Every structure is written in C-alpha cells, then in structure tokens.
Amino acid sequence: MAKVISQDIGAFYHHYPKVAVIVTAHAQGKDNAMAVAWHTSISSTPPLYGVVISPKRFTYQLIAGSKEFGVNFLPFDAAELVAAVGGSKGQEVDKFQRFNIARDKSLKTAVPILEADYAAYECQLVDDRSYGDHRLLVGEIVAVHWRKDVFASGEILDLDKIYPILYMGKEIYATTSKDTARTLDRKVYGRR
Ligand SMILES: Cc1cc2nc3c(=O)[nH]c(=O)nc-3n(C[C@H](O)[C@H](O)[C@H](O)COP(=O)(O)O)c2cc1C
C-alpha cells in the first residue's frame, strides 16, 4: 500500500494511541485537574517524569506557582472523567466539586491524588522549559501510589484487572485486551 509523504505536518496524531492521564495541581488554596496525553518517563535514577502542558492551561499556572504536580493513571471506566477534566477550565469551575472527584491523601506534596487511580506519581518540579506552543515540565517522583492487587509481581499492570485508557486523538478512546499480550524475551529474540 502506498504511503503518503508530506511536509505539510498539520495536527499530527500518527504516533497515537497514548495513555491518557489526569494531571493534578494545588496552589492558592485550589485543586485542579486536567487531561494529559503528552507525558513520559525521563530518568530512573533520579526518578524523573515529564508532562507537556500548554502555558494557557490553568493547571500550568498552579504548577508554576506550587512547583508540584500529580500524574494519575486511571482505568478505562474513568475515560468520561478524562474527557470531563479535559473539556473544562479550572479558571471557570471547581472540577473536583462539579465532577464529584474523590481524593486520596498525598504523601510528600499537596497535590490531589485521585481515589479512582490504579497508580499515581507525586512530583516536585525540577525543570520547566518552553518548546514551541507547549512547556515540558519535568518532575522528580517523590511518592508513588499503586494498587497492589493490579500489578502482577509488583511491577507489570495486570490487564485482566485493569483496562488502561488509550487516547486515539480527537474525541476517541479505546482500551487493550489481555488476549493481545505476548511475552517476548529480548535475550532470546535478540539472538535470533
Ligand atoms: C484526552 C485529552 C488529552 C489532552 N492532553 C493534553 C496535553 O497533553 N497537554 C495539554 O496542554 N493539554 C491537553 N489536553 C487539553 C486540556 O486537558 C484542556 O485544555 C483542559 O481544559 C485544561 O484545563 P485547565 O485549564 O483547568 O488546566 C488534553 C485534553 C484531552 C481531552
């Protein structure tokens, strides 16, 4: 099948799906939450996590003020909540009240951690840099919350128990199926 090659980049969604998360922040006595698809681990030692956020977002203002943020990983049945916090502005509405979001206690920061999470990182901001129309915020993970019952051997998410939220771009969300998981030993495959 012929591939299209173009220099007209436009809005590029070719690298999706991305796991959609909710980034949380707290400053000036306010909690806020927004949907984020652009995020990544950056370093193991020290443990660094990056989120890419437009400076137009209210969440950005809170993080710039408090130097802290939370990254919340939720099961697929919370996809509507992702769309809700991604479709509303913290400047106009208290999202925690409007969407009835329950909180867990945070350990090392003041950021809200969502009760519905299967995992969450509390991060302290170590860098905030502008790239084009977004900013890359890098945080050191200072506490990890995770549900012991859904991480097989303490590390790998059990896809029988949690369906992650895969964001396809635009308004489309999907998830995974355990049937598609394969164990491919890199030592074995690297020698073939
Ligand atoms: C699934 C999804 C993913 C999103 N990913 C990002 C992102 O990675 N970075 C970003 O700046 N905005 C992203 N947004 C947009 C923000 O979530 C949205 O503008 C939100 O209203 C910001 O809220 P705030 O102004 O209260 O901070 C995303 C929205 C959705 C629905």
Side-chain angles (χ1 to χ4, degrees), residues 20 32-39 52-54 56-60 82-83 85-91 95 134 167 170-171 173:
N32 196 42
M34 70 175 275
V36 164
W38 298 357
H39 58 95
V52 178
I53 294 183
S54 161
K56 292 182 191 155
R57 316 294 185 225
F58 184 57
T59 308
Y60 174 74
V82 171
V85 299
S88 52
K89 296 182 177 176
Q91 237 144 4
K95 299 189 203 185
H134 279 64
Y167 176 55
K170 308 275 185 190
E171 313 303 335
Y173 298 81

Side-chain angles (χ1 to χ4, degrees), residues 105-146:
K105 267 208 174 107
S106 49
L107 184 71
K108 301 288 282 184
T109 66
V111 299
I113 296 299
L114 310 192
E115 194 183 86
D117 289 349
Y118 62 84
Y121 299 145
E122 291 180 45
C123 298
Q124 274 166 355
L125 190 68
V126 295
D127 196 28
D128 173 0
R129 240 168 248 267
S130 175
Y131 288 97
D133 55 8
H134 279 64
R135 298 189 71 90
L136 171 61
L137 308 185
V138 178
E140 175 158 0
I141 303 172
V142 291
V144 183
H145 303 234
W146 51 284

Side-chain angles (χ1 to χ4, degrees), residues 14-85:
H14 306 95
H15 56 292
Y16 284 54
K18 308 280 291 178
V19 170
V21 299
I22 293 182
V23 168
T24 46
H26 172 93
Q28 305 146 21
K30 279 187 183 168
D31 281 347
N32 196 42
M34 70 175 275
V36 164
W38 298 357
H39 58 95
T40 182
S41 44
I42 291 176
S43 162
S44 313
T45 315
L48 300 179
Y49 207 82
V51 294
V52 178
I53 294 183
S54 161
K56 292 182 191 155
R57 316 294 185 225
F58 184 57
T59 308
Y60 174 74
Q61 292 174 28
L62 296 187
I63 298 172
S66 66
K67 314 278 185 227
E68 295 180 339
F69 62 89
V71 185
N72 299 266
F73 300 86
L74 295 131
F76 192 61
D77 57 15
E80 287 171 7
L81 181 63
V82 171
V85 299

Side-chain angles (χ1 to χ4, degrees), residues 7-12:
Q7 285 182 286
D8 176 16
I9 310 301
F12 52 102

